[in-house]
Amino acid sequence: AVYEKSTSDPEMQGMGTTGVCAYASRGMAHVVHAGDSRAYLFHAGGLRQITRDHSMVQQLVDSGQITREQAAVHPQKNLITRAVGVDATVDGDLFEVELRDTDILLLCSDGLTGMVEDEKIAEVLAKAGTLEDKGRELLTLALEGGGRDNITVALFTRGAKQEA
């Protein structure tokens, strides 16, 4: 649909977007993404990034040309190398992770990760409260951090029932 809109409407020519989605079943999360939207697993108090950004800056980090700290402030950190809608099809990367009862799966856009450090995200996820409370706090932190991009936060768990 994004590709069709970008090719049928001259004002939308070249439009694309990033995306991350997950399907969880039988204790496993199957995650697919394109671009710099991310999936994280919060397990036993630690936060682990599941996806790898499809970006020019990530390629520089991977090749050892810059550090992760330099990547965070790089002037071209939002230049992505893979996106939904730029071409008729996109090859997303697929990841599978085990989900335990107390784990939290976080799907988010760079509007969150560009404004809030991973350590602070982990801090929020470690707090008591519902997923809705945690999501609201992450959104607030991203807005307080500048909110310079679209902010998407989705939290999932297979553990005890949550209000959200």
Side-chain angles (χ1 to χ4, degrees), residues 33-55:
H33 89 112
D36 57 3
S37 289
R38 296 178 179 173
Y40 289 86
L41 180 67
F42 182 74
H43 170 74
L47 186 69
R48 177 174 62 95
Q49 184 176 336
I50 298 168
T51 56
R52 295 194 56 76
D53 292 354
H54 299 129
S55 69

Side-chain angles (χ1 to χ4, degrees), residues 70 95 122:
Q70 291 170 318
F95 300 87

Side-chain angles (χ1 to χ4, degrees), residues 72 112 142:
L112 174 66

Side-chain angles (χ1 to χ4, degrees), residues 100-121:
R100 295 175 184 91
D101 284 347
T102 57
D103 292 348
I104 298 173
L105 183 65
L106 164 65
L107 306 181
C108 60
S109 65
D110 64 331
L112 174 66
T113 57
M115 300 290 111
V116 183
E117 293 182 3
D118 287 1
E119 295 79 19
K120 186 62 180 174
I121 293 172

